[in-house]
Amino acid sequence: MKNSNNICLVVSFLLLSFLTLGQSISGNMNSENIASLGYGNVDIYKGEEKIASVLTDALGNFQVELDTGYYRVEFKYEGHEKLVTNIQVNGDEKNDFSLSRKKGYIAPVYEEVVISEVHSSDVKKSKERPSRELEAMFSDALSESSEAKIVHDMPTFAPKEGGNVSAMKLTAGEINDFSKWEMWNDFAAGELSTHQQKWDLYFTERYTVQVKNENGFPIVDALVQLLDVNKNVRYESRTDNTGKAELWGKLGLNDLWEGNASALVHYKGKTFPIRRLIEFKQGVNSLTLTAQCGASQLVDIAFVVDATGSMGDEINYLKAELNSVIFKAKNDHPELTFNFGNVFYRDSGDEYLTRRHDFTDVLSSSIEFISQQHAAGGGDYEEAVEVALEEALDKLEWSREARTRILFLVLDAPPHNSPEVRQKLKDIARKAAAKGIRIVPLAASGIQKDTEYLMRSLAQGTNGTYAFLTGHSGIGSGHIEPSTDEYEVELLNDLMVRLIDTYTFVADCQEEDDFDDLLTPDPVDSLITVEWNVWPNPTQGDLNIKISEDVGELFITDLTGKIVNRFTELRKGRVLKTNIAQYSKGIYLITFIHEEKVYTKKVVLT
């Protein structure tokens, strides 16, 4: 009898395990049982709480893993009535979900700003590049230079977006100047100095503020104000997903700054002073608040895209990439709510100046808008970049609270250069930083050094990074090499998704062991010639680093690439002892270069 009871217990346990594993809701979203609806929204609620939000794939299919229970599922697609259904999950629940078309639905006409007059200074010099047949597939052999290196193989996923144009084609690189801060200052004072003077834009007198709670978790989206010696607000920024805010005393070459800075941190209706700030070259300013951890589940992503004629060789590919990036980013984070907005722009005298589509969490609406756009107009080199940025900052409905806000600026030409425009660019940087909007430029083919400098500056002033297309894909015209030591070549699709992942990652404060799964072993490189160790790992602050060779310079950076510590002249075999407890909990990178090889290890602060 005893054995029989034990068997029953084992069977019951196995049955319970079976019922609680592999449960999901899956199926196909379609339009009146006729056509599949690709990239449609599937939002899942338990009670009033949204617990998951995913997108159907290009064929309208989806799958969401869930626990046993009752759920309300909402299906949304542009031009269709929302479908709401209740589903009980006991195992793998599969079904087809048919949405009704809205009667008399007409595709929306998006608001345009049109300026018909052309300034007398806008002499139309042809910017159209010779047309070339766009390559439909990657070259099997991607060229590798001393400045760039391919970091992975060709992907197999390439959803068609009409004709031979598909995603996963364009190649790109990134320069995060926060991770190479000394190098950036050297370039800005050297080969880029003429462009610094041209734009009168140079962010200096940098102050970094780290805000965390008593348990060490980052405080996200707190407003931080930089005060000058007279207590006037000189710059404002919002803490990012690592809890850091970047503040700048000077934006222009002739700005005055006396130092003796202080700061005010505003969070949840309360104000906290930092009475004396140190500059970044002396360290990071840290503030600990009594506050609950956690971050908003909202993510705002805007695409601001140059749609003039010179973009014609890449814009169709870019549209396919943007659609794919939206899909991937959304489905990689079903717990988050993504809002997507768009501004396409041209120049004075064109068919339109800007064309706007406001933020929406209905992906199909954003994709429809992007797919309607095409390249035309332009003519002279400069375009209405500052007008488009103002439109995006002022007219798009950015979330009041958000985990992150990203503005991808896709362009191949600078704005017009005048005293008014130069001042506008400074105002744009201030406004974006104050709203917590990272500007991430994506420079297309045809970009020149003056625009590279300007875009890298705007990225720094708004806590962003600089990305650029490369010629490795064979798509587009010539691509200049950026001013840096080296960069990695990635698929643009992967790069943009990686940036979104990096900027949205926040440690889950509900789970004490949250970081354990993130501390995966670093890959073994057969060419490694330096033995080194970092311990303890994970750590609560104390850190020991031992390297078998002399190293001139070693950096500790956070996950976004920002340098938080720098050490010089490390001697082989000696233990470097430091402490990183003043920073928020998260993943940090230990990096150094020896004989032109980069060595990196991850360390987790718990």
Side-chain angles (χ1 to χ4, degrees):
M1 188 68 179
K2 183 177 180 181
N3 289 338
S4 176
N5 288 337
N6 287 339
I7 291 173
C8 289
L9 287 172
V10 171
V11 171
S12 298
F13 174 77
L14 291 175
L15 180 60
L16 180 61
S17 300
F18 176 77
L19 291 175
T20 56
L21 292 176
Q23 298 171 151
S24 66
I25 296 175
S26 62
N28 180 270
M29 182 194 298
N30 58 72
S31 176
E32 297 179 342
N33 293 317
I34 299 174
S36 295
L37 296 177
Y39 307 128
N41 284 61
V42 182
D43 297 330
I44 300 176
Y45 295 82
K46 193 161 190 176
E48 296 302 315
E49 180 185 2
K50 182 192 289 187
I51 62 168
S53 179
V54 300
L55 301 169
T56 63
D57 63 17
L59 300 177
N61 300 314
F62 73 96
Q63 183 174 8
V64 185
E65 295 183 358
L66 297 166
D67 295 329
T68 300
Y70 290 88
Y71 299 89
R72 184 177 83 257
V73 186
E74 296 184 358
F75 300 88
K76 293 181 289 187
Y77 200 87
E78 178 74 5
H80 291 72
E81 301 289 349
K82 180 171 69 174
L83 174 64
V84 181
T85 183
N86 296 311
I87 298 177
Q88 180 181 3
V89 175
N90 289 316
D92 288 330
E93 310 296 336
K94 299 181 180 179
N95 207 338
D96 289 341
F97 301 91
S98 179
L99 277 63
S100 300
R101 296 180 183 177
K102 291 181 178 178
K103 293 183 179 179
Y105 171 77
I106 300 175
V109 176
Y110 300 100
E111 183 173 351
E112 299 177 1
V113 176
V114 180
I115 295 182
S116 57
E117 65 269 18
V118 180
H119 300 295
S120 58
S121 60
D122 292 344
V123 180
K124 293 294 181 181
K125 296 174 290 184
S126 176
K127 164 174 102 161
E128 300 289 344
R129 295 189 287 268
S131 61
R132 59 183 292 179
E133 183 178 357
L134 298 180
E135 297 185 19
M137 299 295 291
F138 255 125
S139 170
D140 290 332
L142 295 179
S143 61
E144 185 169 352
S145 68
S146 59
E147 295 85 5
K149 52 185 177 180
I150 304 299
V151 295
H152 51 64
D153 297 328
M154 263 294 294
T156 56
F157 173 71
K160 295 296 181 183
E161 296 290 342
N164 290 326
V165 177
S166 62
M168 308 298 283
K169 294 276 183 70
L170 297 175
T171 51
E174 177 205 0
I175 302 176
N176 184 339
D177 286 313
F178 287 112
S179 68
K180 300 180 178 181
W181 189 244
E182 296 298 326
M183 181 182 297
W184 161 253
N185 285 292
D186 289 343
F187 276 116
E191 67 179 72
L192 298 176
S193 60
T194 57
H195 310 302
Q196 176 189 121
Q197 296 168 9
K198 174 179 179 177
W199 295 110
D200 185 28
L201 192 65
Y202 187 35
F203 289 86
T204 55
E205 309 299 330
R206 175 186 172 191
Y207 298 85
T208 302
V209 175
Q210 164 83 75
V211 187
K212 60 180 180 177
N213 73 359
E214 293 175 310
N215 294 320
F217 289 99
I219 299 296
V220 181
D221 206 29
L223 177 64
V224 185
Q225 296 176 314
L226 175 66
L227 308 182
D228 63 19
V229 67
N230 297 315
K231 304 305 178 185
N232 298 314
V233 176
R234 292 293 294 266
Y235 209 77
E236 297 178 294
S237 182
R238 288 184 173 269
T239 54
D240 59 19
N241 56 308
T242 71
K244 295 185 189 67
E246 297 292 344
L247 303 161
W248 307 92
K250 294 176 64 174
L251 280 67
L253 295 174
N254 299 316
D255 288 357
L256 299 177
W257 179 252
E258 299 180 31
N260 297 320
S262 58
L264 294 176
V265 178
H266 304 272
Y267 186 68
K268 300 295 185 183
K270 296 182 179 179
T271 300
F272 307 88
I274 303 177
R275 303 198 182 280
R276 185 171 180 81
L277 292 179
I278 58 173
E279 289 187 47
F280 174 74
K281 59 187 177 184
Q282 298 174 287
V284 175
N285 301 274
S286 185
L287 176 67
T288 300
L289 306 181
T290 301
Q292 293 183 343
C293 63
S296 168
Q297 301 296 87
L298 294 177
V299 175
D300 291 347
I301 298 178
F303 298 105
V304 178
V305 183
D306 181 342
T308 56
S310 61
M311 289 286 291
D313 54 359
E314 289 168 326
I315 196 166
N316 288 331
Y317 284 90
L318 283 165
K319 290 192 299 183
E321 298 288 1
L322 297 186
N323 293 347
S324 177
V325 165
I326 292 172
F327 172 75
K328 283 186 175 181
K330 172 73 171 169
N331 276 11
D332 283 351
H333 302 279
E335 75 283 4
L336 302 179
T337 296
F338 280 78
N339 299 310
F340 295 98
N342 306 277
V343 174
F344 279 63
Y345 69 93
R346 293 182 181 170
D347 199 13
S348 301
D350 290 335
E351 177 187 0
Y352 64 85
L353 189 60
T354 64
R355 181 175 286 168
R356 182 177 78 249
H357 180 252
D358 206 358
F359 281 114
T360 178
D361 65 349
V362 181
L363 176 67
S364 53
S365 177
S366 184
I367 285 181
E368 178 177 301
F369 172 82
I370 292 174
S371 299
Q372 289 178 4
Q373 310 309 315
H374 66 279
D380 57 348
Y381 178 47
E382 296 87 358
E383 310 296 0
V385 182
E386 81 287 354
V387 177
L389 287 172
E390 286 184 322
E391 181 92 357
L393 295 177
D394 295 338
K395 300 296 179 65
L396 295 180
E397 293 292 331
W398 297 88
S399 299
R400 293 179 62 86
E401 294 184 359
R403 172 171 300 210
T404 192
R405 306 171 186 87
I406 307 172
L407 188 158
F408 287 104
L409 173 59
V410 185
L411 78 172
D412 70 346
H416 297 269
N417 193 315
S418 68
E420 294 77 17
V421 170
R422 291 195 294 271
Q423 183 57 49
K424 277 187 178 181
L425 293 171
K426 293 184 179 71
D427 295 340
I428 284 167
R430 289 181 185 276
K431 185 179 298 183
K435 291 187 174 185
I437 300 169
R438 301 175 189 258
I439 295 179
V440 178
L442 174 58
S445 60
I447 216 78
Q448 300 299 318
K449 281 293 175 181
D450 60 338
T451 314
E452 177 191 331
Y453 175 83
L454 175 61
M455 292 300 108
R456 289 171 71 170
S457 297
L458 288 178
Q460 291 165 26
T462 60
N463 201 16
T465 191
Y466 175 71
F468 50 94
L469 297 182
T470 73
H472 298 79
S473 65
I475 298 172
S477 298
H479 302 78
I480 64 169
E481 288 295 324
S483 297
T484 189
D485 54 348
E486 65 174 14
Y487 62 89
E488 293 182 342
V489 176
E490 306 174 65
L491 291 174
L492 172 64
N493 200 287
D494 292 343
L495 187 153
M496 295 180 74
V497 172
R498 173 175 61 79
L499 290 178
I500 293 171
D501 287 345
T502 299
Y503 292 154
T504 55
F505 172 79
V506 177
D508 186 354
C509 55
Q510 303 302 320
E511 299 181 19
E512 291 298 324
D513 297 327
D514 181 68
F515 294 111
D516 290 348
D517 293 337
L518 299 173
L519 189 59
T520 56
D522 294 307
V524 177
D525 189 334
S526 60
L527 299 178
I528 285 180
T529 58
V530 174
E531 294 182 1
W532 65 302
N533 195 18
V534 178
W535 77 94
N537 193 11
T539 178
Q540 293 183 341
D542 289 329
L543 206 57
N544 301 283
I545 304 170
K546 185 178 180 180
I547 306 174
S548 66
E549 302 291 337
D550 290 341
V551 173
E553 199 172 38
L554 178 143
F555 298 98
I556 302 178
T557 73
D558 66 16
L559 192 61
T560 69
K562 290 182 184 174
I563 297 171
V564 297
N565 283 109
R566 174 178 176 265
F567 303 93
T568 59
E569 303 303 327
L570 280 72
R571 298 303 179 187
K572 66 178 181 180
R574 294 185 182 179
V575 177
L576 168 65
K577 296 181 179 291
T578 186
N579 189 288
I580 58 173
Q582 70 269 36
Y583 307 117
S584 62
K585 291 185 177 181
I587 302 173
Y588 293 83
L589 304 178
I590 317 296
T591 302
F592 66 90
I593 298 175
H594 181 70
E595 295 182 351
E596 299 184 353
K597 181 175 178 60
V598 179
Y599 295 83
T600 300
K601 285 184 184 290
K602 288 182 290 187
V603 63
V604 171
L605 177 61
T606 62

